[in-house]
Every structure is written in structure tokens, then in C-alpha cells.
Amino acid sequence: MHHPRDRLIVALDLPSVEAAEALVDRLGDAVTFYKIGYQLAFAGGLALAEKLIWNGRQVFLDLKLHDIAYTVEMAAASVARMGATFLSVHGYPQTMKAAVDGRGDSNLRIVAVTVLTSYDDTDLAAAGYDFTVAELVAERAAQARDIGVDGLVCSGEEVETLRAMVGQSMVLVTPGIRPFGAAAADQKRVKTPFEAITAGADYIVVGRPVVEATDPRTAAEAIIAEIAAAAGADML
Ligand code: C5P
């Protein structure tokens, strides 16, 4: 496994490249992995992603792709050429297969979102699905594994079940993390970094607890220490 530091992915959920670069500067060499989502991607964040990669950082492009297979395949190929480490796609079989084809033998790894955590059983029914969230998560995780997708984005509550299901063959990336004592904000089912890593997460994604901290670097270092403690506990 990687150094505990490389298992923390800081979500750059910020409105501008200037704000994101200021945070990256403050975090310095404490943080090696960044996630760029819709908000920043559509405000110059893709150029920032290239710059971060050029500076030796790893980047997770959280663009949750879903389109016809050809479009997804070409998009994944472009992202692979950028040198990104992770790209997220929605967990539809055609989309997942196209993304895996598009990343080819590059270093890009495709991570699938099974069911968005903002969806409950009622939301799925409203969207026309005759599955519970738990059933659809399990079904799509099995499809992802069989297609050769590299990883899954999953909540702290799902990690243990999914790890048991896919074994060590896939990376599990877990958002919704709140260090001990941090405000949960709008995340309802939160885990601490220690809990998520102990449950089997390979990477944790943390946004506001770092981005909004008075001292982001100290906040990030405290999270990395929790990851290290959990990783150490794993090896006992
Ligand atoms: O600020 P916070 O730590 O809640 O940020 C979590 C990040 O992970 C956000 O960028 C959010 O979009 C993302 N995410 C999430 N829950 C998911 C998938 C992604 O919170 N199920």
C-alpha cells in the first residue's frame, strides 16, 4: 500500500483557480492528491489539473461521465493523455466498459459511482428503478468488477460490504469523511478517516474539513495521522 499521505485526496471544491492554487500552496508537500469536480472544472480547473500533474501531484477528475460509448471512450482517452490518476464515471455497463477501453494501458484508473449517495429507495423508484439502493449498489459493483473497472467510489457505510465482494481487485475511494470533532455539514452518514480506512477504503476524499479549516495544512496532517494509525492497526 501507499504511504498514508498518498491515501488522502483533498477535494478542491472552490470557485476559482486562484482560490484553489492558494489552498494548494498552503498545503505544500503535505498533500499529494487532489480531486477536481464540476465546480472548479468549469472554472478553469482542467488547466489547473494539468499544472498540478506537471508539479508531481496526482489528480482525480470527478466528472462522473455518462454518455454513448464512443463519446465516453474518447473522453477517457483524453483524460488519460492529461496524466490524471482517477476519472469517475456512472456505473452503467456501457459507460464503464467504454471508459476502460478509453484508458487503455495508460496509468489512468477508472472509478465507478454505483448509486449517488443522495439517492434513497424512493428516489430510485421515482427514477424508474425496481431496485433498492443496496440491491443496485451490489449489482453495479459486480458489473464494474466483471468489466474490469479499476475502482469504486463508495460511502463509508458501503466500504466493508464492497470490500468483501470485490476483494483486493478494486480500489475503494470513500468521501463523506469527517475527522473526529469536525462539523458534518450536509453529509449525513459520515465516518472518520480511521473508521473508513479500517473498514477497507484505499483512499479517502475530504473537502470542507480541509478547505475551510483555519489552518488547512494542520487539518490535513491530522487526517494523515489518522490514516497512518488505521493502516498500522490493519497490520497488527
Ligand atoms: O466537503 P466534503 O468533505 O463533504 O466533500 C466531499 C467531496 O466528495 C465532494 O467533492 C463531493 O462532491 C464528493 N462526493 C461525496 N459523496 C459522494 C460522492 C462524491 O461527498 N457519494
Side-chain angles (χ1 to χ4, degrees):
M1 223 328 151
H2 306 289
H3 187 282
R5 187 179 46 231
D6 302 323
R7 299 172 70 177
L8 168 64
I9 304 176
V10 171
L12 290 175
D13 293 332
L14 288 160
S16 69
V17 168
E18 291 69 29
E21 286 193 305
L23 177 67
V24 168
D25 279 350
R26 290 187 72 180
L27 292 171
D29 55 12
V31 172
T32 62
F33 212 146
Y34 289 100
K35 181 171 91 71
I36 294 177
Y38 293 161
Q39 183 189 17
L40 189 60
F42 299 134
L46 298 177
L48 176 64
E50 295 189 305
K51 193 167 163 187
L52 288 170
I53 293 163
W54 181 252
N55 287 322
R57 300 295 187 265
Q58 297 195 85
V59 170
F60 171 7
L61 280 189
D62 189 13
L63 299 179
K64 298 189 179 69
L65 301 185
H66 183 45
D67 206 315
I68 61 168
Y70 177 78
T71 302
V72 171
E73 182 178 341
M74 294 304 123
S78 290
V79 172
R81 281 193 294 275
M82 274 177 73
T85 301
F86 288 162
L87 169 68
S88 59
V89 303
H90 281 284
Y92 291 78
Q94 270 193 18
T95 294
M96 295 191 287
K97 180 165 187 320
V100 168
D101 288 345
R103 68 117 161 86
D105 58 9
S106 71
N107 292 325
L108 178 65
R109 284 182 283 177
I110 305 298
V111 294
V113 175
T114 56
V115 177
L116 292 170
T117 47
S118 56
Y119 277 58
D120 62 18
D121 293 347
T122 311
D123 296 309
L124 277 189
Y129 292 92
D130 193 15
F131 287 105
T132 64
V133 170
E135 286 167 348
L136 194 53
V137 167
E139 178 66 24
R140 288 185 170 167
Q143 290 171 334
R145 178 198 57 205
D146 296 346
I147 286 167
V149 170
D150 306 293
L152 298 168
V153 180
C154 62
S155 75
E157 299 203 328
E158 295 163 350
V159 163
E160 211 164 337
T161 310
L162 291 178
R163 178 58 75 203
M165 200 174 145
V166 303
Q168 298 303 315
S169 64
M170 299 178 88
V171 298
L172 299 181
V173 182
T174 301
I177 298 294
R178 288 297 172 267
F180 192 69
D186 58 354
Q187 295 278 16
K188 290 185 187 127
R189 293 182 293 272
V190 298
K191 296 272 187 215
T192 66
F194 186 91
E195 288 169 335
I197 296 290
T198 307
D202 295 298
Y203 297 88
I204 58 173
V205 174
V206 183
R208 286 160 291 182
V210 170
V211 173
E212 294 176 357
T214 322
D215 182 348
R217 185 171 175 131
T218 302
E221 281 170 348
I223 293 167
I224 293 161
E226 265 197 67
I227 296 174
D234 263 0
M235 287 185 282
L236 293 179

